[in-house]
Amino acid sequence: FSDPFLNRQRANDFIQADSRLRAVTQERIRERSKAHYEHQKETCEDYYLCEMYARRHGYPAAYKHYFGGRRRTK
């Protein structure tokens, strides 16, 4: 095999766009559907006092301390 260039048909034989597209789609789905604790951690990280409290007591305790009483039912 002396020619370093491949034609399009040969190139597509070993590079499959389907699998790459599927991987990108799955990654975007995972980004959209974050776990509940992940949202809590991000909320806590945005508030400086909560983040400082979290360094000492952990993110679940910090979120509960600063944001736990905000949910009110009608």
Side-chain angles (χ1 to χ4, degrees), residues 67-74:
F67 303 106
R70 292 190 178 189
R71 287 189 179 181
R72 295 187 181 128
T73 57
K74 292 182 179 180

Side-chain angles (χ1 to χ4, degrees), residues 14-74:
F14 61 89
I15 297 177
Q16 298 173 354
D18 263 351
S19 62
R20 283 184 287 149
L21 183 61
R22 192 174 317 136
V24 169
T25 304
Q26 290 296 325
E27 173 105 16
R28 290 197 177 141
I29 289 171
R30 276 190 299 259
E31 286 176 357
R32 271 189 252 143
S33 58
K34 290 183 181 176
H36 182 66
Y37 66 87
E38 201 58 49
H39 286 290
Q40 288 181 347
K41 184 176 179 185
E42 288 177 358
T43 302
C44 193
E45 286 174 344
D46 290 340
Y47 186 52
Y48 179 74
L49 294 175
C50 183
E51 186 177 9
M52 296 305 292
Y53 191 92
R55 289 182 184 176
R56 185 173 193 129
H57 302 284
Y59 280 102
Y63 184 85
K64 187 175 182 181
H65 180 78
Y66 285 98
F67 303 106
R70 292 190 178 189
R71 287 189 179 181
R72 295 187 181 128
T73 57
K74 292 182 179 180

